[in-house]
Amino acid sequence: MSLKMKGGIRHVLLTLFSLAMVYPVFWWVGASLKSNEELSSANLFPSKPLWSNFVDGWNAIPGYTFTDFYLNTFGLELAVLITTIFSCTLVAFGFARLDFPLKNFWFAILMLTLMLPAQVLIIPQYAMFHQFGWVNTYWPFIVPHLLASGAGGTFFVFLLIQFIRGVPRELDESAKIDGCSWFGIYWRIVMPLTKPAIVTVSIFCFLWNWDDFLGHLLYINSVEKYTVGLALKMINDAQSGMQWGQVLAMSLVSIVPATIVFAFAQKQLVEGVATTGIKG
């Protein structure tokens, strides 16, 4: 068998495998345009698309629309993103550049927290935040990220440490000669040069917090503060006669921001992950 024929067979098999993998997405899109009666049919796409599922689903919760929930989610994402980038880069700079007592010990403790299941911390964290009066607020999501201890914080710190170690120390020495402080070196030298790693951290942070249904469910009780994920759950609870087309339509809409972010940031994501292992 010739190499050309082998290549053709390989491409056919990969194409068939890819179609099998994306079939659930096609079914999802088709089901979002179906009525309840047609949902159980074997047809992938409806005979008569119900585009009204998107309009009715958007306004399914009385007194609110998904515009409100999107604004809540984007506002929370922005706050979490800013606090995560600032705190994680600052901690990573300290471990990568500064010398302080028991540095290796604290770095080992930091790495050990990667092995700690997040589920173990749910009850003590909830009890602590309840005593602070932070339940039904966004503080349980913002404050931990401000301290580089939110979801993925340890991983982000480790990722940034590896990247910062690849930045030449000669730049630090030159900045010191010019009278720059350690914070000035961090802000003016290291931060601009770690842009690929910061973009990678930002993408992971956005995607993980966008999908954080359990955390939002635990701490947010008021409908006016609901995020998109909680609003989808409320559609399930609010519809006495469940309109599955509307639920699927809104769930399809809910993944659009994350899909757009990932699609436009693939190159930066790969670059940031690939360069974190390079040391100077």
Side-chain angles (χ1 to χ4, degrees):
M1 186 180 294
S2 65
L3 291 176
K4 186 175 182 180
M5 184 174 294
K6 289 181 179 179
I9 294 175
R10 187 181 299 112
H11 279 85
V12 170
L13 292 176
L14 289 174
T15 301
L16 293 175
F17 180 74
S18 300
L19 289 175
M21 294 296 292
V22 299
Y23 173 80
V25 178
F26 290 143
W27 182 92
W28 186 7
V29 174
S32 67
L33 298 171
K34 292 180 179 180
S35 62
N36 281 3
E37 294 74 18
E38 197 176 4
L39 197 62
S40 59
S41 66
N43 297 330
L44 185 61
F45 294 102
S47 56
K48 184 178 179 181
L50 291 178
W51 297 102
S52 59
N53 283 343
F54 288 88
V55 178
D56 295 338
W58 194 269
N59 302 284
I61 300 176
Y64 301 93
T65 67
F66 264 77
T67 302
D68 303 312
F69 306 128
Y70 266 98
L71 291 176
N72 292 341
T73 308
F74 280 122
L76 180 59
E77 285 278 354
L78 182 61
V80 168
L81 197 60
I82 292 174
T83 52
T84 298
I85 292 173
F86 177 74
S87 63
C88 290
T89 52
L90 193 60
V91 173
F93 175 79
F95 276 110
R97 284 294 200 260
L98 304 181
D99 293 321
F100 51 88
L102 300 177
K103 175 180 175 180
N104 293 332
F105 170 77
W106 291 117
F107 183 73
I109 295 296
L110 179 71
M111 291 298 97
L112 284 175
T113 59
L114 280 173
M115 306 177 191
L116 188 65
Q119 292 78 6
V120 175
L121 303 175
I122 290 178
I123 294 177
Q125 280 184 342
Y126 184 88
M128 181 177 64
F129 292 147
H130 185 270
Q131 289 180 350
F132 292 165
W134 289 356
V135 175
N136 200 31
T137 71
Y138 295 140
W139 292 118
F141 310 104
I142 298 173
V143 173
H145 286 89
L146 185 61
L147 302 175
S149 61
T154 303
F155 170 71
F156 297 152
V157 171
F158 176 74
L159 191 74
L160 289 162
I161 288 174
Q162 304 309 308
F163 194 94
I164 293 173
R165 284 175 176 171
V167 177
R169 287 182 175 270
E170 289 79 5
L171 297 175
D172 299 4
E173 300 300 329
S174 300
K176 287 181 184 178
I177 293 173
D178 292 336
C180 196
S181 64
W182 276 116
F183 185 81
I185 294 172
Y186 155 76
W187 187 256
R188 298 179 181 179
I189 305 297
V190 174
M191 282 286 283
L193 293 177
T194 56
K195 181 182 176 182
I198 291 175
V199 171
T200 302
V201 168
S202 301
I203 296 169
F204 278 125
C205 182
F206 180 88
L207 295 178
W208 290 349
N209 284 282
W210 187 270
D211 296 332
D212 183 19
F213 174 78
L214 179 59
H216 298 170
L217 182 64
L218 284 174
Y219 294 110
I220 302 176
N221 302 326
S222 302
V223 178
E224 63 268 16
K225 297 180 181 178
Y226 270 14
T227 56
V228 173
L230 295 181
L232 287 173
K233 173 184 175 296
M234 192 173 181
I235 290 181
N236 289 336
D237 296 340
Q239 300 275 2
S240 55
M242 181 66 69
Q243 298 297 322
W244 287 107
Q246 297 179 18
V247 176
L248 292 170
M250 289 301 98
S251 63
L252 186 64
V253 172
S254 70
I255 70 167
V256 171
T259 304
I260 292 174
V261 169
F262 186 80
F264 283 93
Q266 286 184 73
K267 182 178 179 181
Q268 291 82 357
L269 178 63
V270 174
E271 180 184 354
V273 173
T275 53
T276 49
I278 299 176
K279 297 182 181 180

